[in-house]
């Protein structure tokens, strides 16, 4: 029997589309044997690996968005920005903070939120051992010290999600097993390759990254630096996606990563995209290992 794995990428609010994809797969009786996620993908994927039910995941996420603790992040203030602006969270946050960023720098803090505040934000997540899940799970984070990609497959789900989605400069890095961890997007936005390490023999990836084409010209040095980082991340993602057998791309690239108020629309986009790929997914599940290897070989030859 085939063992399908699901790679869920990062993208802030756009990642709510992962819920729609999971909903469709569930309705069709397609249960992933393994899930690897980065940032919001680690959150959605981790909750699904724990609950085993897309409806419970959706309920948890929608309740979390309404939770007063969530408002500490200031997403409601950031939603007023131009939706065609491709800047990331840190860039928006710089604008939002204004002169206050100077005070932060003067205090030589490494993050805007202190450890206790971050604890409060992430406390709503289940603190359960990953290794007991029926669905194998991996959260991808980045070690600030070595620069290496860190694959978290055991220990606390809360800690794994926190490490994978710790926005650099906003939340303090997570200390875990001798590492100093931040958001996995710095090394692997869509961790398709991690699924084979979890025993998956075919990979379905969900890409909710931003559309680079919507960017305007740089206004200052910060725009140049962060735009450069975004371009690097984009091309890294394209490289990682070559390891997937099927790539689902929900129609959310035009949305801001702060658009949590449009959750219904984003989840629906995930459903629509999953249905569009449903026949290919079913063929992938049913295909034999030999024919699959031939197909992958042809993709490599064609440079896909």
């Amino acid at each position: 029997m085939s063992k399908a794995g699901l790679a869920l990428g990062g993208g802030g609010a756009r990642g709510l589309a992962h819920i729609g994809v999971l909903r469709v797969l569930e309705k069709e009786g397609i249960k992933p044997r393994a899930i690897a996620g980065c940032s919001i993908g680690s959150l959605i994927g981790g909750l699904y690996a724990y609950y085993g039910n897309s409806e419970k995941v959706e309920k948890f996420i929608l309740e979390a968005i309404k939770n007063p603790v969530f408002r500490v992040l200031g997403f409601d203030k950031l939603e007023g920005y131009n939706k065609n602006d491709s800047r990331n969270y840190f860039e928006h946050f710089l604008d939002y903070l204004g002169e206050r960023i100077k005070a932060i720098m003067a205090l030589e803090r490494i993050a805007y939120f202190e450890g206790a505040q971050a604890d409060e934000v992430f406390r709503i997540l289940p603190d359960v051992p990953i290794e007991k899940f029926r669905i194998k799970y991996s959260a991808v984070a980045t070690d600030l010290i070595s620069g290496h990609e860190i694959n978290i497959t055991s220990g606390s789900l809360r800690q794994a999600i926190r490490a994978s989605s710790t926005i650099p400069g906003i939340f303090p890095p997570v200390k875990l097993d001798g590492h100093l961890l931040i958001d996995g997007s710095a090394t692997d936005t869509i961790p398709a390759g991690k699924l084979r390490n979890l025993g998956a023999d075919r990979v379905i990836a969900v890409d909710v990254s931003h559309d680079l084409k919507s960017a305007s010209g740089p206004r200052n040095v910060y725009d140049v630096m962060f735009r450069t980082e975004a371009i690097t991340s984009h091309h890294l993602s394209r490289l990682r996606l070559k390891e997937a057998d099927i790539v689902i791309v929900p129609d959310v690239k035009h949305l801001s990563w702060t658009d949590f108020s449009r959750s219904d629309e984003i989840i629906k986009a995930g459903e629509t995209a999953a249905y569009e790929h449903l026949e290919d997914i079913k063929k992938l599940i049913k295909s034999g290992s030999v024919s699959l290897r031939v197909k992958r070989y042809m993709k490599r030859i064609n440079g896909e």
Side-chain angles (χ1 to χ4, degrees), residues 91-245:
E91 296 171 274
H92 280 312
F93 216 82
L94 284 175
D95 285 349
Y96 166 57
L97 293 175
E99 291 299 315
R100 281 171 286 182
I101 194 68
K102 295 179 182 178
I104 294 171
M105 294 174 67
L107 292 172
E108 296 184 350
R109 285 165 51 177
I110 62 173
Y112 176 70
F113 292 112
E114 296 179 343
Q117 291 174 299
D119 289 343
E120 186 67 20
V121 170
F122 288 99
R123 190 169 288 130
I124 63 174
L125 297 173
D127 188 17
V128 292
I130 294 170
E131 52 269 32
K132 291 188 177 181
F133 295 170
R134 286 188 176 183
I135 299 174
K136 292 185 178 180
Y137 168 74
S138 166
V140 175
T142 303
D143 184 11
L144 267 180
I145 305 302
S146 66
H148 292 162
E149 178 181 293
I150 304 299
N151 197 27
I152 306 172
T153 57
S154 62
S156 166
L157 175 63
R158 179 189 298 167
Q159 189 83 325
I161 293 173
R162 178 172 176 173
S164 181
S165 53
T166 286
I167 305 168
I170 305 304
F171 292 119
V174 175
K175 295 180 180 180
L176 182 66
D177 298 333
H179 303 296
L180 200 58
L181 303 176
I182 59 168
D183 198 303
S185 296
T187 48
D188 196 349
T189 305
I190 310 171
K194 298 296 172 291
L195 290 164
R196 307 201 193 283
N197 297 334
L198 296 177
D201 59 3
R202 51 211 72 197
V203 176
I204 302 166
V206 185
D207 178 9
V208 292
S209 58
H210 200 281
D211 186 358
L212 284 178
K213 295 180 181 178
S214 65
S216 57
R219 301 170 305 167
N220 52 45
V221 64
Y222 289 115
D223 282 354
V224 173
M225 287 192 298
F226 291 117
R227 178 62 177 170
T228 301
E229 185 276 331
I231 292 171
T232 301
S233 178
H234 170 79
H235 289 291
L236 176 60
S237 296
R238 303 284 73 73
L239 181 64
R240 299 298 196 208
L241 284 174
K242 290 184 178 181
E243 301 179 75
D245 297 300

Side-chain angles (χ1 to χ4, degrees), residues 284-295:
L284 176 67
I285 300 298
K286 295 177 181 178
S287 62
S289 57
V290 175
S291 62
L292 193 57
R293 284 198 295 270
V294 171
K295 184 177 179 180

Side-chain angles (χ1 to χ4, degrees), residues 3 22 24 58 63 81 120 167 174-175 189 203 212 218 225 260 270 279 281:
K3 300 176 182 179
L22 287 165
V24 171
E58 181 176 352
E63 288 180 354
Y81 282 90
E120 186 67 20
I167 305 168
V174 175
K175 295 180 180 180
T189 305
V203 176
L212 284 178
M225 287 192 298
F260 287 95
E279 289 307 311
I281 293 172

Side-chain angles (χ1 to χ4, degrees), residues 69-79 81 89 93 96 113 257-258:
V69 173
F70 189 77
R71 293 191 173 275
V72 171
L73 301 178
F75 290 150
D76 55 328
K77 297 177 178 65
L78 296 178
E79 281 196 49
Y81 282 90
Y89 180 88
F93 216 82
Y96 166 57
F113 292 112
W257 68 271
T258 61

